[in-house]
Amino acid sequence: MPALTSPGATGDLSDVTASDATLRRFLHGLPGVDQVGAEARAASLGTRSIKTTAKAQAIDLAIRMVDLTTLEGQDTPGKVRALASKAMRPDPTDATCPATAAVCVYPDLVGVAKQQLGDSGVNVAAVAAAVPRGRAPLDIKLADTRDAVAAGADEIDMVIDRGAFLTGRYLQVFEEIVAVRGACERPGGGEPAHLKVIFETGELQTYDNVRRASWLAMLAGAHFIKTSTGKVQPAATLPVTLVMLEAVRDYREATGQMVGVKPAGGIRTTKDAVKYLVMVNEVVGADWLDPDWFRFGASTLLNDLLMQRSKLATGRYSGPDYVTID
């Protein structure tokens, strides 16, 4: 680990981002990731089993961590309203079933989601800043973000410019994240929208790059770091998430600040979700076992969580019409 100043605010690391050279030196001075070791540890954690009572708790926690997502060209206001209703009452037959963390939509549908969700406590997340490609002038990315925030978005999910990152233009990526975070401020004041920074890890090529991107985003003020848009494969994987969890753990040790982690794309089953929760507990600890600090970006995962929840409660699987098809 490169030498860091004493724990405190992110400003303690301001010298790291003083220039492209200092930022490059810092990021390339991070310890390299042992690919074989990371994959072996992730595989080992993925074999852990939990007992029935703990499984029931894990399912409810996973439901509370879901960002219920629709990001299709054919999205309509009606589809978003239905998704928002499902987020508030995932199982209409069981009032004890918790709500999801958020509904994630394109910026032009934020107002629809916000109106439907009302004061339910379910957040509205909007992808912005030219998601999924990240290929647009900065002023367009900032306008996209401001529009979503003005429409009521509680959270903004942006994606980094992978072309800039992979060619070593780290300061450009850093400054863009800082600018988007600034665009998350509310025009009339109040709490700004929280910023999730997506790496599109399937395009970053190495675990070392995932670690560097994690630190880069955290230095720039990300509230969450996120694996993927779900539009590129591979998306979320256990080893990639392990590397990101290690980064947020080390960042808190260096600065005293917590940053959330969001794996997204390809997490479809309760078994998958439990593997991630076990990893969170083992790598960063119980502090991150909270929707404020860990999320699942998913569309179909919630359906399986509801099916497994019903199975634990009744002892049998429900019929195919038990959950809605998103």
Side-chain angles (χ1 to χ4, degrees):
M1 171 78 63
L4 300 174
T5 55
S6 60
T10 307
D12 290 345
L13 297 172
S14 59
D15 57 329
V16 169
T17 59
S19 69
D20 214 2
T22 57
L23 186 54
R24 175 187 298 274
R25 187 159 55 247
F26 176 84
L27 294 176
H28 283 264
L30 293 168
V33 179
D34 177 354
Q35 178 178 344
V36 174
E39 292 175 353
R41 188 177 184 206
S44 173
L45 291 173
T47 63
R48 302 281 179 86
S49 61
I50 58 178
K51 298 187 183 298
T52 302
T53 302
K55 185 175 181 180
Q57 295 172 343
I59 288 173
D60 278 7
L61 177 58
I63 291 172
R64 292 171 51 225
M65 290 175 164
V66 167
D67 283 357
L68 195 56
T69 303
T70 183
L71 297 173
E72 302 297 335
Q74 61 186 354
D75 285 346
T76 64
K79 181 177 181 182
V80 169
R81 282 191 287 267
L83 202 69
S85 295
K86 182 172 181 177
M88 291 185 285
R89 284 290 300 271
D91 184 348
T93 69
D94 185 353
T96 69
C97 182
T100 69
V103 170
C104 185
V105 296
Y106 280 120
D108 61 309
L109 291 166
V110 166
V112 175
K114 194 73 177 176
Q115 183 180 43
Q116 187 71 18
L117 291 168
D119 60 358
S120 66
V122 177
N123 287 337
V124 177
V127 295
V131 168
R133 300 302 174 199
R135 311 294 300 211
L138 180 58
D139 59 344
I140 292 177
K141 293 181 179 182
L142 297 181
D144 195 28
T145 302
R146 292 189 186 106
D147 285 348
V149 173
D154 303 293
E155 303 168 3
I156 295 294
D157 291 29
M158 69 165 288
V159 64
I160 65 168
D161 181 337
R162 281 85 73 199
F165 180 87
L166 290 171
T167 52
R169 288 176 280 148
Y170 300 130
L171 191 60
Q172 176 184 330
V173 178
F174 171 85
E175 290 176 342
E176 187 167 276
I177 296 170
V178 170
V180 174
R181 170 152 176 170
C184 290
E185 298 289 337
R186 308 235 176 245
E191 184 178 358
H194 282 198
L195 179 63
K196 305 193 199 85
V197 177
I198 309 168
F199 302 145
E200 205 67 285
T201 51
E203 295 182 343
L204 292 191
Q205 303 172 358
T206 69
Y207 294 136
D208 284 343
N209 277 339
V210 173
R211 176 167 285 173
R212 290 171 188 145
S214 297
W215 273 89
L216 181 60
M218 292 187 291
L219 290 169
H223 295 97
F224 261 77
I225 53 177
K226 177 178 172 181
T227 62
S228 325
T229 64
K231 304 297 185 182
V232 172
Q233 297 300 322
T237 68
L238 287 169
V240 157
T241 305
L242 172 65
V243 172
M244 292 168 63
L245 287 169
E246 290 176 341
V248 299
R249 177 200 63 198
D250 295 344
Y251 187 76
R252 182 166 76 164
E253 289 177 0
T255 69
Q257 296 181 346
M258 284 178 68
V259 175
V261 176
K262 178 180 173 180
I267 305 171
R268 296 185 175 88
T269 68
T270 300
K271 185 176 181 180
D272 290 339
V274 168
K275 289 179 181 179
Y276 281 92
L277 294 180
V278 168
M279 177 176 287
V280 170
N281 188 59
E282 292 290 330
V283 177
V284 292
D287 285 353
W288 269 269
L289 287 173
D290 186 287
D292 285 344
W293 302 110
F294 194 79
R295 298 279 184 86
F296 293 108
S299 54
T300 59
L301 171 61
L302 181 58
N303 288 342
D304 192 70
L305 289 168
L306 294 175
M307 295 284 282
Q308 296 299 329
R309 191 177 190 274
S310 176
K311 168 68 162 51
L312 286 177
T314 66
R316 64 183 184 280
Y317 284 107
S318 300
D321 298 327
Y322 176 70
V323 295
T324 58
I325 302 300
D326 300 322

